[in-house]
Amino acid sequence: MPATSLCQDEACPPYSLMDDYSEGAHPQILEALLRTNSTQQVSYGGDAYSDEARQLIRNKINCTEDEADIFFVPSGTSANLISIASCLRPYEAVITLDSGHIACKEAGAIEATGHKLILVPAVDGKMTTTNLQKAIQQNQFFPHMAKPRLLYISNASETGTVYTKRELTNLSALCKQMNLLLLMDGARIGTAMCSKKNDMTFRDIFDLTDIFWIGGTKAGALMGEAIVVKKALSEGFVFHLKQHGALLAKGRIMGVQFMELFRSDLFFTLATHANAMAEKISANFEALGHHLVAETETNQVFVTMPQQLAQRLQNRFRFYIWDQLDDGQVVVRIVTSWATDELQVDKFNAWVAQWTAAAKEFTTN
Amino acid sequence: MPATSLCQDEACPPYSLMDDYSEGAHPQILEALLRTNSTQQVSYGGDAYSDEARQLIRNKINCTEDEADIFFVPSGTSANLISIASCLRPYEAVITLDSGHIACKEAGAIEATGHKLILVPAVDGKMTTTNLQKAIQQNQFFPHMAKPRLLYISNASETGTVYTKRELTNLSALCKQMNLLLLMDGARIGTAMCSKKNDMTFRDIFDLTDIFWIGGTKAGALMGEAIVVKKALSEGFVFHLKQHGALLAKGRIMGVQFMELFRSDLFFTLATHANAMAEKISANFEALGHHLVAETETNQVFVTMPQQLAQRLQNRFRFYIWDQLDDGQVVVRIVTSWATDELQVDKFNAWVAQWTAAAKEFTTN
Amino acid sequence: MPATSLCQDEACPPYSLMDDYSEGAHPQILEALLRTNSTQQVSYGGDAYSDEARQLIRNKINCTEDEADIFFVPSGTSANLISIASCLRPYEAVITLDSGHIACKEAGAIEATGHKLILVPAVDGKMTTTNLQKAIQQNQFFPHMAKPRLLYISNASETGTVYTKRELTNLSALCKQMNLLLLMDGARIGTAMCSKKNDMTFRDIFDLTDIFWIGGTKAGALMGEAIVVKKALSEGFVFHLKQHGALLAKGRIMGVQFMELFRSDLFFTLATHANAMAEKISANFEALGHHLVAETETNQVFVTMPQQLAQRLQNRFRFYIWDQLDDGQVVVRIVTSWATDELQVDKFNAWVAQWTAAAKEFTTN
Amino acid sequence: MPATSLCQDEACPPYSLMDDYSEGAHPQILEALLRTNSTQQVSYGGDAYSDEARQLIRNKINCTEDEADIFFVPSGTSANLISIASCLRPYEAVITLDSGHIACKEAGAIEATGHKLILVPAVDGKMTTTNLQKAIQQNQFFPHMAKPRLLYISNASETGTVYTKRELTNLSALCKQMNLLLLMDGARIGTAMCSKKNDMTFRDIFDLTDIFWIGGTKAGALMGEAIVVKKALSEGFVFHLKQHGALLAKGRIMGVQFMELFRSDLFFTLATHANAMAEKISANFEALGHHLVAETETNQVFVTMPQQLAQRLQNRFRFYIWDQLDDGQVVVRIVTSWATDELQVDKFNAWVAQWTAAAKEFTTN
């Protein structure tokens, strides 16, 4: 299979498998924005669409208005920093994986609100009760150490793995015992919920956490995340939105998008597609004998390959070199999304197969 | 003229003249989002549309890439807090009108970044050199007072007035002399530029300020503001965007919208419409003998009327009662926008005329 | 009376009536430091002297350990910023006089902890329920305005006046009704308690406030202030001390000093002396026909005089020119303290009398 | 040797070897406070004693007023947080050892000023260029990671080791190359300078760092640390002192103490004593076959011993159990100071010897 059969227009730019936010929004979402565009609405989140979206999300969670408040913010960093700042006192600290998004991808946003991060190593990309317990114990030197008060986890994790109900139940129980709040970053909660490994409902997650948020940006929306806050913690939350510039005048933009995502099962359909594309890529790598660094449970594939192979692939596809290993191998991250074109996935897999075979032949001879 | 001629469907909700963000986006902007939706783009503001929008804005300013950096953020509060936090040291303070948006409409966002506000009374809704000078003098008790370092003004002002070139030149000169930076909040800079009172170009504003921002939200966009930062102050600015949750993964959303606003003269056309609608309302009030609290220079009308008239109008139109006066009169704020329907303006004017006449008749008899 | 009779050594530097912290500590306090110096003590406030001082203060308040916690900090600014930061959520604001110490003498310390100040004009140097009510009402635009949550007052006030029991009772009742905490800055609470105008006990102040602090620096100590916090608000307070650098390793320094101040009535004896000296100066001004800007209720005298007289006095005495009036008059602030030498007060009064007489004679002729 | 020969009064409390701040101040310092107590001085650091102390310190450094500014603050945490906050922009981060004082003993004070800490493992209690380089490299993902901008180290280190001139020269060179500022925490710089391992002058340290501070609290003062700031960084520093409550009204207290410490060589004499006492304890442990966890280079001894021995010693002496090892052994920290009584050191050594012998006999039999 010659290269030309894969990309007939030689000038075509590399196809991006870099992240899950390279495209705009799912067409249905744009149509919803068009459809609702001309009505006059109350500003700052008081619009009918945001109300409707909040109710639809509550329905999915199977919770009442008395149990949870829901707030829309424009970005994941907003969701994290506002959630954390809203429920900690100034001397309280956050426990997070050292690979946590707030620890290494948000430019110090949490510290900028005044709070210390306590870093814990990951196991399969996840927080374990053992490591959590140890971190709590090591931060008890009163009053010289900031007081651990909130556990931050992501589901799916930074390496695409998902928490099982047992794992989250255990973490949640330990948090309650140690007086820690539990915040789940759900930037990719859609793919987590649609993972074959998942055994939790939204209600489970709601019950086992204090705050969790549902990512829209990586799930087919233009932007926007929905923060679900237990009633006991939601007083004054809107002030935080406003104070951090996250309370949009036209709150309807986020309301309409979440309304559309949850009106039917669009949110889940899109995540399921993303996962399926990743699985296809992952299966191909495994079949060809490449080593997966993390199990492919959602829409991210972490795979080891020779640097040379990665470079050749990068002529056709855009993706991150995640790590440089000592032996000339690299770890590559492939991310699929609601928008990933299956034809491109097939091409990607074909190229991987072709070049892997060529490399083997070369090595053998 | 019976009421039914104004609103034939008795059940129709009041028409909003409450603010300039009650509707979605101008249709051309939505079309641009649709048109560009499926291309793959670099994330976090590195997309081709944001680049194009930045160049178009620079063209309007008539400045080069070496002179100014441009950043897109989702909200006006973001624009203000990031601009201010990015160029002040921790002990430096901001001078603002006591009616300034940062002083009374942003839930303490500036203080939340650690900076003191020094409040100054307005004259015609604007900062004067006299009042600025006085504020600087009164805050010099070293090191017991935070050091004045930045002047914040809005154009159009909170009461809809605009700065003349002479006024801004004088403020700018005083700032330079006293070592103050000058930030212009341009949430409504479109209507300011299109005001009949305006005698400045974007280049003038660029030259006379250190940072200014161009509001998209109130100018026909779904959301988004473009911050124009003089090169000398822009180092590290992107970190601030990220740290405050304002660096959207799909930066294209704002890029596309500003591209569309500035590709042709849409930005100015829409602002001109808003101003025209306000002028029509304002002229009617004046013709009927109502007192304007501030001259109507842009898209806001501040008018005094009997409480009873305001209440009757509120059955048909939504707007803010801005102030309660002692004599049973109220100050009403009417805001028009790119989306304001001229038919509704005519109805509004007709109702005002009818009820004003009725009231006079009643009073006379 | 020739000048030489007042200062026989022509080279003697001007005597300072500038503030109440120009000297070191009262000798008894230094002796107590010497006496206790060599014992080994638990660090960071756990020493026996701090315990003893806390108990002595509780005795003066007539409250139990279950009612109040007491913390020592090195400075008044520490006391204010820690007290405020410890009990506010990030979006909550402080109401203060515009002449309040936190508003204009602490370099933005409160804003640096993230909190907005809402400024209110003073009446006789004090907060009134009318002005407080108005400030609360004007800051209710949810969620665009930071939420008023704490009233900050100083007793004695910045102009040396004191709150009566009725005044404080009314403010306290309004605070409770409006869900505001009440913090009293007691940098000069000693002179307030010893004022002839005072009709409150420490127990009254404790009952009517949520936090108040007892100033040591201006009351004869080397440094140190004692913050009295109602039990309901004291959880986690020590973390704040530590986080802001106010938890001294050798907490004993402050413990010993407050122990000495409250072991007998030294604290009150010293304040009484300061007040008596101010009264003497004040009475002389009045007798000579000078206008007092504020009634002299504690250890500060604010008096109007011709600029020329102020300048002549400044050759012999150091004090602040507090304000420049339009008519060539100035407002002068004279501060006395526990250390003020009565002989110097007599000289000061004599000079004032002599020069006032000379000026009158000159004017008459 | 029976126990009674060591402590004849059975009721005598355990002697503290817990830290270097259990006693008050060196008697000469108290005498200086007494001697200078009654003069009137300018407040807030403008007093003659502070001026004199600053000059004496500059003399020791051998630098001019044009090269360095010196500021006195009440605590080490103040010194660190003010130094760091004064020279970083909001998105800039601090690199520190994970055992650094700011990382685990200051209750999140640095994060409370908004800055992220990047943690690096120690080698012999110290930062190495290798680990520093790695940390810088791992924090370059623009703009998703806070920007490394300042290296924080302590000399002596947290485990009592000292930096050699070669080590500090290399760190300093790497900092310059990577555009990092270098801050040295000198809480125990006295014992570092007096260590037998030290090969640096104050001038060396001044040249190789941007800011360093000289600890008074642990060096015989009641309280107070002197921050030495290179001229290029000192603008506005006083505002930071004020804003964080560290600018004492009676700045003379710190001025007098540092004047006394540096008037003669008291500062060094006291540190030399502390080191000698630690060396004596350390040598005894080694002679008896106990394992030192860190080399005893200053006034701290970290030694491994059976838990049982530690417990017996704790009946007579107070010290920290620093770590619990897996095999029933513990790591004990012994700290000596300017005030440590050599007689008590001899007793301590004798008890260690007696019980070590007893334990060996027991084990042998």
Side-chain angles (χ1 to χ4, degrees):
Chain A
M1 183 168 59
T4 49
S5 75
L6 289 171
C7 178
Q8 283 163 354
D9 173 6
E10 277 302 301
C12 75
Y15 186 78
S16 175
L17 294 166
M18 199 135 191
D19 52 49
D20 28 17
Y21 37 81
S22 286
E23 289 88 0
H26 188 268
Q28 273 183 241
I29 287 173
L30 285 183
E31 280 157 30
L33 284 170
L34 272 171
R35 192 172 61 237
T36 59
N37 188 54
S38 62
T39 68
Q40 290 192 318
Q41 294 292 327
V42 174
S43 59
Y44 295 109
D47 59 287
Y49 309 121
S50 292
D51 281 345
E52 173 75 5
R54 282 187 275 263
Q55 191 49 50
L56 289 168
I57 292 172
R58 280 198 201 90
N59 292 349
K60 291 289 177 204
I61 297 173
N62 193 21
C63 77
T64 68
E65 248 180 279
D66 289 345
E67 288 178 287
D69 275 326
I70 297 173
F71 306 92
F72 300 108
V73 296
S75 72
T77 299
S78 293
N80 284 331
L81 78 88
I82 289 171
S83 296
I84 288 170
S86 74
C87 57
L88 296 197
R89 296 182 67 187
Y91 56 84
E92 293 178 335
V94 176
I95 300 181
T96 171
L97 292 177
D98 51 20
S99 56
H101 207 263
I102 56 169
C104 53
K105 298 285 165 50
E106 299 184 357
I110 306 308
E111 289 93 343
T113 68
H115 298 287
K116 184 181 195 65
L117 299 186
I118 296 169
L119 305 184
V120 172
V123 177
D124 289 335
K126 291 181 280 186
M127 179 68 65
T128 64
T129 51
T130 308
N131 287 350
L132 174 56
Q133 185 111 48
K134 202 171 154 191
I136 297 169
Q137 278 165 359
Q138 288 173 340
N139 284 275
Q140 293 297 319
F141 185 32
F142 173 85
H144 302 274
M145 286 174 162
K147 187 179 179 179
R149 175 62 176 137
L150 184 144
L151 170 63
Y152 164 92
I153 59 172
S154 300
N155 194 27
S157 78
E158 289 296 312
T159 53
T161 52
V162 302
Y163 285 88
T164 64
K165 188 170 177 177
R166 173 185 290 261
E167 287 168 345
L168 190 60
T169 302
N170 289 344
L171 285 172
S172 182
L174 181 55
C175 284
K176 277 197 177 50
Q177 182 194 331
M178 304 307 289
N179 197 28
L180 261 63
L181 298 168
L182 205 167
L183 164 65
M184 181 184 282
D185 173 332
R188 294 192 178 101
I189 204 170
T191 58
M193 301 299 287
C194 297
S195 167
K196 289 176 178 171
K197 282 287 170 86
N198 178 57
D199 59 355
M200 287 193 284
T201 63
F202 265 135
R203 179 76 212 192
D204 292 332
I205 289 173
F206 177 71
D207 286 339
L208 296 170
T209 63
D210 293 280
I211 304 181
F212 76 99
W213 55 273
I214 301 172
T217 302
K218 294 170 180 169
L222 282 176
M223 35 73 80
E225 334 290 322
I227 313 178
V228 180
V229 186
K230 283 220 169 112
K231 207 72 183 182
L233 290 169
S234 69
E235 196 202 331
F237 209 92
V238 180
F239 284 110
H240 286 272
L241 296 185
K242 182 66 198 162
Q243 190 174 68
H244 291 288
L247 189 69
L248 299 193
K250 298 180 181 173
R252 64 196 290 160
I253 324 169
M254 297 185 289
V256 168
Q257 294 185 82
F258 274 93
M259 190 178 70
E260 193 61 23
L261 282 168
F262 285 96
R263 194 168 54 86
S264 62
D265 278 334
L266 183 61
F267 182 75
F268 303 101
T269 310
L270 298 182
T272 301
H273 173 77
N275 286 353
M277 294 302 99
E279 193 181 348
K280 214 166 167 177
I281 288 170
S282 184
N284 183 56
F285 275 123
E286 280 199 302
L288 294 166
H290 292 282
H291 172 65
L292 295 180
V293 173
E295 205 174 337
T296 304
E297 297 177 12
T298 54
N299 65 322
Q300 299 191 71
V301 180
F302 291 85
V303 63
T304 303
M305 62 177 66
Q307 180 144 12
Q308 213 180 5
L309 173 52
Q311 281 164 351
R312 293 188 78 169
L313 282 169
Q314 282 185 319
N315 292 330
R316 307 281 169 180
F317 298 91
R318 296 179 60 241
F319 50 82
Y320 278 106
I321 304 295
W322 206 249
D323 207 358
Q324 300 277 352
L325 305 182
D326 292 334
D327 54 358
Q329 300 277 105
V330 293
V331 176
V332 150
R333 184 185 84 157
I334 305 294
V335 184
T336 58
S337 81
W338 63 273
T340 303
D341 182 355
E342 187 159 8
L343 184 63
Q344 293 289 345
V345 168
D346 291 338
K347 286 183 185 174
F348 180 82
N349 282 348
W351 281 115
V352 171
Q354 178 178 330
W355 286 326
T356 302
K360 274 190 187 144
E361 201 173 332
F362 178 81
T363 317
T364 317
N365 303 346
Chain B
M1 183 166 59
T4 48
S5 74
L6 289 171
C7 178
Q8 285 164 350
D9 174 5
E10 278 301 299
C12 77
Y15 186 78
S16 175
L17 293 166
M18 199 135 193
D19 52 49
D20 29 17
Y21 36 81
S22 286
E23 290 87 2
H26 187 268
Q28 270 182 243
I29 287 173
L30 284 183
E31 279 156 32
L33 284 169
L34 271 171
R35 193 172 61 239
T36 59
N37 187 54
S38 63
T39 68
Q40 289 192 319
Q41 294 292 328
V42 174
S43 59
Y44 295 110
D47 60 286
Y49 309 121
S50 292
D51 281 345
E52 173 74 7
R54 282 187 276 261
Q55 191 48 50
L56 290 166
I57 292 171
R58 280 199 201 89
N59 292 349
K60 291 287 178 206
I61 298 174
N62 192 22
C63 77
T64 68
E65 248 179 280
D66 289 346
E67 289 179 286
D69 275 325
I70 296 174
F71 306 92
F72 301 108
V73 296
S75 72
T77 298
S78 293
N80 284 332
L81 78 89
I82 289 171
S83 296
I84 289 171
S86 75
C87 57
L88 295 197
R89 297 182 67 188
Y91 56 84
E92 294 178 336
V94 177
I95 300 180
T96 172
L97 293 177
D98 53 19
S99 55
H101 207 262
I102 57 170
C104 53
K105 298 287 165 50
E106 299 185 356
I110 306 308
E111 290 93 343
T113 70
H115 298 288
K116 183 179 196 65
L117 300 185
I118 295 168
L119 304 184
V120 172
V123 176
D124 288 335
K126 292 182 279 185
M127 178 69 63
T128 63
T129 50
T130 307
N131 287 350
L132 174 57
Q133 185 111 45
K134 201 170 155 193
I136 296 170
Q137 277 164 358
Q138 288 173 340
N139 284 274
Q140 293 296 322
F141 185 31
F142 171 87
H144 302 274
M145 285 175 163
K147 187 179 180 178
R149 173 65 174 136
L150 183 144
L151 170 64
Y152 163 93
I153 59 173
S154 301
N155 194 27
S157 77
E158 290 295 313
T159 53
T161 51
V162 302
Y163 284 88
T164 63
K165 188 169 178 179
R166 173 184 290 261
E167 287 168 345
L168 190 61
T169 301
N170 289 344
L171 285 173
S172 182
L174 181 55
C175 284
K176 276 196 178 50
Q177 181 195 332
M178 304 306 289
N179 197 27
L180 260 64
L181 298 168
L182 205 168
L183 163 65
M184 182 185 282
D185 173 332
R188 294 192 177 101
I189 204 170
T191 57
M193 301 298 287
C194 297
S195 168
K196 289 176 178 171
K197 283 283 171 88
N198 178 58
D199 59 357
M200 288 194 282
T201 63
F202 266 135
R203 179 75 213 193
D204 292 331
I205 289 174
F206 178 70
D207 287 338
L208 295 170
T209 63
D210 293 281
I211 305 180
F212 77 98
W213 56 271
I214 301 172
T217 302
K218 293 171 179 167
L222 282 176
M223 32 73 80
E225 333 291 323
I227 313 178
V228 180
V229 186
K230 283 224 169 108
K231 207 71 184 183
L233 290 170
S234 70
E235 196 201 331
F237 208 93
V238 181
F239 283 109
H240 286 272
L241 296 185
K242 181 66 197 164
Q243 190 173 68
H244 290 289
L247 189 69
L248 298 193
K250 297 179 182 174
R252 66 195 291 157
I253 324 169
M254 297 184 290
V256 167
Q257 294 185 83
F258 274 92
M259 190 177 70
E260 194 61 23
L261 282 169
F262 284 96
R263 195 168 54 85
S264 61
D265 278 335
L266 183 60
F267 181 76
F268 303 101
T269 309
L270 298 182
T272 301
H273 173 77
N275 287 354
M277 294 303 99
E279 195 181 347
K280 212 166 170 179
I281 289 171
S282 185
N284 184 56
F285 275 122
E286 280 198 301
L288 294 165
H290 292 282
H291 173 65
L292 295 181
V293 174
E295 205 175 336
T296 303
E297 297 178 11
T298 54
N299 66 321
Q300 298 190 71
V301 180
F302 290 83
V303 63
T304 302
M305 62 177 68
Q307 182 145 11
Q308 212 179 5
L309 172 52
Q311 281 164 353
R312 292 186 79 168
L313 283 167
Q314 283 185 318
N315 292 328
R316 305 283 170 179
F317 298 92
R318 297 179 60 241
F319 51 82
Y320 279 106
I321 303 295
W322 205 249
D323 206 358
Q324 301 277 351
L325 305 183
D326 291 335
D327 54 357
Q329 300 276 105
V330 294
V331 176
V332 151
R333 185 184 83 159
I334 305 294
V335 186
T336 57
S337 80
W338 63 274
T340 302
D341 182 356
E342 188 159 7
L343 184 62
Q344 293 289 345
V345 168
D346 292 339
K347 286 184 184 174
F348 180 83
N349 282 348
W351 281 115
V352 171
Q354 177 176 333
W355 285 326
T356 302
K360 273 188 189 149
E361 199 171 332
F362 178 80
T363 315
T364 315
N365 305 345
Chain C
M1 184 169 60
T4 47
S5 75
L6 288 171
C7 179
Q8 284 163 351
D9 173 5
E10 277 302 300
C12 77
Y15 187 77
S16 175
L17 294 166
M18 198 135 193
D19 53 49
D20 29 17
Y21 36 80
S22 285
E23 290 87 1
H26 188 269
Q28 271 183 241
I29 287 173
L30 285 183
E31 280 157 32
L33 285 169
L34 271 171
R35 191 171 64 238
T36 59
N37 188 55
S38 62
T39 69
Q40 290 191 319
Q41 294 292 328
V42 173
S43 59
Y44 295 110
D47 59 287
Y49 309 121
S50 292
D51 281 345
E52 173 74 5
R54 282 187 276 262
Q55 192 47 51
L56 289 167
I57 292 172
R58 280 199 202 88
N59 291 350
K60 291 287 178 205
I61 298 174
N62 193 20
C63 77
T64 68
E65 247 180 280
D66 288 346
E67 289 179 285
D69 276 325
I70 296 173
F71 306 92
F72 301 108
V73 295
S75 72
T77 299
S78 293
N80 284 331
L81 80 88
I82 289 171
S83 295
I84 289 171
S86 75
C87 57
L88 295 197
R89 296 183 66 187
Y91 56 84
E92 293 178 336
V94 176
I95 301 181
T96 172
L97 293 178
D98 52 20
S99 56
H101 207 262
I102 57 169
C104 53
K105 298 284 165 51
E106 299 186 355
I110 306 308
E111 291 93 343
T113 69
H115 298 287
K116 185 182 194 64
L117 299 186
I118 297 168
L119 304 184
V120 172
V123 177
D124 288 336
K126 293 181 278 185
M127 178 69 64
T128 63
T129 50
T130 307
N131 287 351
L132 173 57
Q133 185 110 46
K134 201 170 156 194
I136 297 170
Q137 276 165 359
Q138 287 173 340
N139 284 274
Q140 293 296 320
F141 185 31
F142 172 85
H144 302 275
M145 286 175 163
K147 187 180 180 179
R149 174 64 174 136
L150 184 142
L151 170 63
Y152 164 91
I153 58 172
S154 300
N155 194 26
S157 78
E158 290 295 312
T159 52
T161 51
V162 302
Y163 285 87
T164 63
K165 187 167 178 181
R166 173 185 289 261
E167 287 168 346
L168 189 61
T169 301
N170 289 345
L171 285 172
S172 181
L174 181 54
C175 284
K176 275 195 178 51
Q177 182 195 331
M178 304 308 287
N179 197 27
L180 261 63
L181 299 168
L182 205 168
L183 164 65
M184 181 186 283
D185 173 332
R188 295 193 177 99
I189 204 171
T191 57
M193 300 298 287
C194 297
S195 167
K196 289 175 178 171
K197 283 285 172 86
N198 178 57
D199 61 355
M200 287 194 283
T201 63
F202 265 136
R203 180 74 213 194
D204 292 331
I205 289 175
F206 177 70
D207 286 339
L208 294 171
T209 63
D210 293 281
I211 305 181
F212 77 98
W213 55 273
I214 301 171
T217 302
K218 294 170 179 167
L222 282 177
M223 32 74 80
E225 332 291 324
I227 312 178
V228 180
V229 187
K230 282 221 170 112
K231 206 71 183 182
L233 290 169
S234 70
E235 197 202 328
F237 208 93
V238 180
F239 283 110
H240 286 272
L241 296 185
K242 182 68 197 160
Q243 190 173 67
H244 290 289
L247 189 68
L248 298 193
K250 298 180 181 173
R252 65 196 291 157
I253 325 168
M254 296 184 290
V256 167
Q257 294 186 84
F258 274 93
M259 190 177 69
E260 193 61 23
L261 283 168
F262 284 96
R263 194 168 54 85
S264 61
D265 278 335
L266 183 61
F267 182 76
F268 303 101
T269 309
L270 297 182
T272 300
H273 172 77
N275 287 354
M277 294 303 98
E279 195 181 346
K280 215 167 167 178
I281 289 171
S282 185
N284 184 56
F285 276 123
E286 281 199 301
L288 294 166
H290 292 281
H291 173 65
L292 295 181
V293 173
E295 205 175 337
T296 304
E297 297 178 10
T298 54
N299 65 322
Q300 298 191 72
V301 180
F302 291 84
V303 63
T304 302
M305 63 178 67
Q307 183 145 7
Q308 213 178 5
L309 172 53
Q311 280 164 354
R312 293 187 78 168
L313 282 169
Q314 282 185 320
N315 292 328
R316 306 282 168 179
F317 298 92
R318 296 178 60 242
F319 50 82
Y320 278 106
I321 303 295
W322 205 248
D323 206 359
Q324 300 277 353
L325 303 183
D326 292 335
D327 53 357
Q329 300 276 104
V330 294
V331 176
V332 150
R333 185 186 82 158
I334 305 295
V335 185
T336 57
S337 81
W338 63 274
T340 302
D341 182 356
E342 188 159 6
L343 183 63
Q344 293 289 344
V345 168
D346 291 339
K347 286 184 185 174
F348 180 84
N349 281 349
W351 281 115
V352 170
Q354 178 177 331
W355 286 326
T356 301
K360 273 189 187 146
E361 201 173 330
F362 177 81
T363 315
T364 316
N365 304 344
Chain D
M1 185 168 57
T4 49
S5 73
L6 290 170
C7 178
Q8 284 162 353
D9 174 4
E10 278 302 301
C12 76
Y15 187 79
S16 175
L17 294 165
M18 199 134 192
D19 52 48
D20 29 17
Y21 36 81
S22 285
E23 289 87 1
H26 188 269
Q28 273 183 240
I29 287 174
L30 285 183
E31 280 157 31
L33 285 169
L34 272 172
R35 193 170 61 238
T36 60
N37 188 55
S38 62
T39 69
Q40 289 192 319
Q41 294 292 327
V42 173
S43 59
Y44 295 110
D47 59 287
Y49 310 120
S50 293
D51 281 345
E52 172 75 6
R54 282 188 277 261
Q55 192 48 50
L56 290 168
I57 292 172
R58 281 200 201 90
N59 292 349
K60 291 286 178 207
I61 297 174
N62 193 21
C63 76
T64 68
E65 247 180 280
D66 288 346
E67 289 180 287
D69 276 326
I70 297 174
F71 306 92
F72 301 108
V73 296
S75 73
T77 298
S78 293
N80 284 331
L81 78 89
I82 288 171
S83 296
I84 289 171
S86 74
C87 57
L88 296 196
R89 297 183 65 188
Y91 56 84
E92 294 178 335
V94 177
I95 301 181
T96 171
L97 293 177
D98 52 19
S99 56
H101 207 262
I102 57 169
C104 53
K105 297 286 165 49
E106 299 184 356
I110 306 308
E111 290 93 343
T113 69
H115 298 287
K116 185 181 193 65
L117 299 186
I118 297 169
L119 304 184
V120 172
V123 177
D124 288 336
K126 292 182 280 187
M127 179 68 64
T128 64
T129 51
T130 308
N131 287 352
L132 173 57
Q133 184 110 47
K134 202 171 154 191
I136 296 170
Q137 278 165 358
Q138 287 172 342
N139 284 275
Q140 293 297 320
F141 185 33
F142 172 86
H144 302 276
M145 285 174 164
K147 187 179 180 179
R149 175 64 175 136
L150 183 144
L151 171 63
Y152 164 92
I153 58 173
S154 300
N155 194 29
S157 78
E158 289 295 312
T159 53
T161 51
V162 302
Y163 284 88
T164 64
K165 188 169 177 178
R166 172 185 291 260
E167 287 168 345
L168 189 60
T169 301
N170 289 344
L171 285 173
S172 182
L174 181 54
C175 284
K176 277 197 175 50
Q177 182 194 331
M178 304 307 289
N179 197 28
L180 260 64
L181 298 168
L182 205 169
L183 164 65
M184 181 185 282
D185 173 333
R188 294 191 177 101
I189 205 171
T191 58
M193 300 299 287
C194 297
S195 168
K196 290 177 178 170
K197 283 285 171 87
N198 178 58
D199 59 356
M200 287 194 283
T201 63
F202 265 135
R203 180 75 211 193
D204 292 331
I205 289 174
F206 177 70
D207 286 339
L208 294 170
T209 63
D210 293 280
I211 304 181
F212 78 97
W213 54 273
I214 301 172
T217 302
K218 293 170 179 168
L222 281 176
M223 34 74 79
E225 334 289 323
I227 312 179
V228 180
V229 186
K230 283 222 169 109
K231 208 71 183 182
L233 290 169
S234 69
E235 197 202 331
F237 208 91
V238 180
F239 284 110
H240 286 272
L241 297 186
K242 181 66 197 162
Q243 191 173 68
H244 290 289
L247 189 69
L248 299 194
K250 298 180 182 172
R252 65 197 290 158
I253 324 170
M254 297 185 290
V256 167
Q257 294 185 83
F258 273 93
M259 190 178 69
E260 192 61 23
L261 282 168
F262 285 96
R263 195 168 54 86
S264 61
D265 278 334
L266 183 61
F267 183 75
F268 302 101
T269 310
L270 297 183
T272 301
H273 173 78
N275 286 354
M277 294 302 98
E279 194 181 348
K280 212 165 168 179
I281 288 170
S282 185
N284 183 56
F285 275 123
E286 280 197 303
L288 294 166
H290 292 282
H291 172 65
L292 295 180
V293 174
E295 205 175 335
T296 304
E297 297 178 11
T298 53
N299 66 321
Q300 297 191 72
V301 180
F302 290 84
V303 63
T304 303
M305 63 178 66
Q307 181 144 11
Q308 215 179 2
L309 172 53
Q311 281 164 351
R312 293 187 78 169
L313 283 168
Q314 282 185 318
N315 291 329
R316 306 281 170 180
F317 298 91
R318 295 178 62 241
F319 51 81
Y320 278 106
I321 303 295
W322 206 249
D323 207 358
Q324 300 276 352
L325 305 182
D326 292 336
D327 54 357
Q329 301 276 105
V330 293
V331 176
V332 151
R333 184 184 84 157
I334 304 294
V335 184
T336 57
S337 81
W338 63 275
T340 302
D341 182 356
E342 187 158 8
L343 184 65
Q344 293 289 346
V345 168
D346 291 339
K347 284 184 187 174
F348 181 82
N349 282 348
W351 280 115
V352 171
Q354 177 178 332
W355 284 328
T356 302
K360 273 189 187 144
E361 200 173 330
F362 178 81
T363 316
T364 317
N365 302 348

